[in-house]
């Protein structure tokens, strides 16, 4: 509105209300609020476009926050029970069971988590659990929680060295019996009668596998040698839709180069989608003194691959996995 238009508006105002409306329009024109409204509309559009992208990258960090909350709980629990530590050999049992209930609840609410074949995990004695590694192995956390709740025992785990370098994780790893994987230490745990979980694909499989679920084990056979030396059965494990829950950008060449060149596991992970998770445990592969580590490793690979072929539609699809929260869909449908 021009100055002359403003003056005519003011002169033509017959009452106080008209006058105030006219003054407001004049002030709006002078302050440029019309342009601000355009800017706000553009900002609203950008928020609408980018909010989903922001959310899928934030949700993985929520899992890290939950891990740190678990660590915080352990520190509080330790401080509260300092005087009891000298008198109890099972100081951390209550803490483990409490956190197991927390993670089991998270799995039930967010992923409708189910586990099939839990009867194959022995109530006593050793066994080696070999599993497919998702971008974030949250399904394995749920499995560990179920072992504590249903079996009343702790499953030891093998983790990559970088996990032991994350600030604050030391207590959590100690309480849940996580080791960095020398064969001698793995054999010692199994010979002591413990369960032990390991993913031969490890970080490589976590970062560079994709929705087609390839096993990236290379020629690794150390886990098989551990089972032979310990004379324990191997139980294969796979979780349906684990790649639809969280996905990695490790398929981009830059992140692959960083890992291969510097061993930096920095490929961004996104997701946190509340898809259906079902963990399947295969039939135990009994100790056989007549086969070597290479043959046993291949036998275990085929067992895990069979679980993938039987229970996972390839390629994985996030929308389909979300719908499975409400309707069970089989591969042949």
């Amino acid at each position: 509105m021009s100055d002359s238009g403003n003056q005519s508006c003011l002169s033509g105002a017959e009452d106080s209300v008209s006058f105030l409306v006219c003054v407001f329009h004049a002030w709006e024109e002078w302050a440029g609020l019309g342009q601000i409204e355009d800017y706000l509309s553009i900002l609203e559009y950008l928020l609408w476009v980018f909010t989903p992208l922001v959310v899928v990258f934030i949700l993985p960090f929520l899992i890290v926050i939950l891990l740190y909350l678990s660590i915080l709980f352990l520190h509080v629990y330790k401080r509260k029970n300092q005087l009891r530590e000298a008198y109890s050999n099972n100081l951390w049992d209550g803490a483990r069971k409490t956190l197991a209930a927390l993670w089991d609840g998270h799995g039930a609410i967010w992923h409708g988590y189910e586990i099939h074949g839990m009867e194959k995990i022995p109530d006593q004695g050793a066994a080696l659990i070999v599993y497919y590694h998702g971008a974030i192995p949250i399904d394995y956390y749920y499995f560990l929680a179920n072992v504590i709740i249903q079996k009343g025992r702790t499953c030891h785990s093998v983790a990559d060295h970088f996990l032991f370098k994350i600030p604050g994780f030391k207590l959590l790893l100690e309480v849940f019996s996580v080791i960095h994987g020398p064969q001698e230490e793995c054999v010692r745990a199994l010979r002591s009668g413990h369960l032990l979980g390991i993913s031969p694909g490890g970080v490589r499989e976590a970062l560079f596998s994709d929705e087609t679920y390839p096993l990236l084990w290379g020629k690794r056979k150390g886990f098989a040698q551990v089972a032979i030396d310990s004379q324990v059965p191997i139980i294969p494990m796979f979780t349906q839709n684990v790649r639809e829950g969280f996905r990695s950008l490790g398929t981009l060449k830059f992140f692959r180069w960083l890992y291969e060149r510097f061993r930096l596991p920095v490929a961004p992970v996104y997701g946190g989608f509340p898809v259906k998770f079902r963990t399947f445990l295969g039939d135990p592969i009994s100790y056989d003194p007549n086969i070597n580590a290479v043959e046993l490793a291949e036998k275990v690979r085929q067992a895990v691959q069979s679980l993938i072929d039987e229970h996972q539609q390839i390629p994985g699809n996030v929308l389909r996995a979300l719908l499975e929260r409400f309707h069970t869909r089989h591969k042949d449908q």
Side-chain angles (χ1 to χ4, degrees), residues 249-279:
L249 296 180
T251 52
L252 300 179
K253 292 182 178 180
F254 173 72
F255 298 114
R256 186 65 179 260
W257 175 81
L258 274 180
Y259 181 77
E260 300 294 353
R261 183 70 176 83
F262 303 104
R263 285 296 183 268
L264 294 176
V266 294
V269 173
Y270 67 97
F273 306 114
V275 300
K276 182 68 176 182
F277 277 179
R278 295 185 183 91
T279 292

Side-chain angles (χ1 to χ4, degrees), residues 139-257:
D139 60 309
Y140 183 67
Y141 306 158
Y142 299 152
F143 166 74
L144 294 178
N146 274 267
V147 170
I148 292 172
I149 294 170
Q150 297 186 37
K151 297 292 181 176
R153 56 188 310 196
T154 301
C155 179
H156 294 217
S157 304
V158 177
D160 193 87
H161 288 80
F162 90 91
L163 201 61
F164 293 84
K165 299 177 182 178
I166 299 178
F169 267 51
K170 181 180 179 181
L171 179 61
L172 182 69
L173 299 177
E174 288 179 353
V175 170
F176 284 90
S177 303
V178 181
I179 58 179
H180 61 81
Q183 290 189 22
E184 299 78 10
E185 195 169 351
C186 294
V187 171
R188 189 180 307 115
L190 289 169
R191 286 181 175 173
S192 298
H194 297 295
L195 299 171
L196 180 66
I198 186 171
S199 173
V203 173
R204 183 182 299 276
E205 193 166 85
L207 297 180
F208 308 126
S209 187
D210 55 29
E211 64 273 15
T212 63
Y213 289 83
L215 295 174
L216 304 182
W217 294 8
K219 297 182 178 180
R220 292 184 177 179
K221 62 181 188 301
F223 69 95
Q225 190 61 56
V226 164
I228 291 173
D229 294 343
S230 307
Q231 299 184 10
V232 298
I234 296 178
I235 302 173
M237 187 174 83
F238 169 72
T239 298
Q240 182 186 65
N241 297 327
V242 66
R243 280 279 160 187
E244 280 58 71
F246 293 92
R247 289 188 171 179
S248 167
L249 296 180
T251 52
L252 300 179
K253 292 182 178 180
F254 173 72
F255 298 114
R256 186 65 179 260
W257 175 81

Side-chain angles (χ1 to χ4, degrees), residues 118-127 151 153 195 233 235:
M118 196 64 175
E119 69 279 358
K120 297 171 184 177
I121 301 294
D123 294 329
Q124 295 180 338
K151 297 292 181 176
R153 56 188 310 196
L195 299 171
I235 302 173

Side-chain angles (χ1 to χ4, degrees), residues 11 22 25 43 59 74 104 107 125 132 146 151 188 218 227 250 257 261 280 288 309 325 331:
S11 62
C22 199
H25 284 300
L43 181 60
L59 284 176
L74 291 175
D104 183 58
Y132 172 84
N146 274 267
K151 297 292 181 176
R188 189 180 307 115
W257 175 81
R261 183 70 176 83
F280 296 92
D288 184 350
D309 295 340
R325 292 293 302 272
K331 284 191 65 176

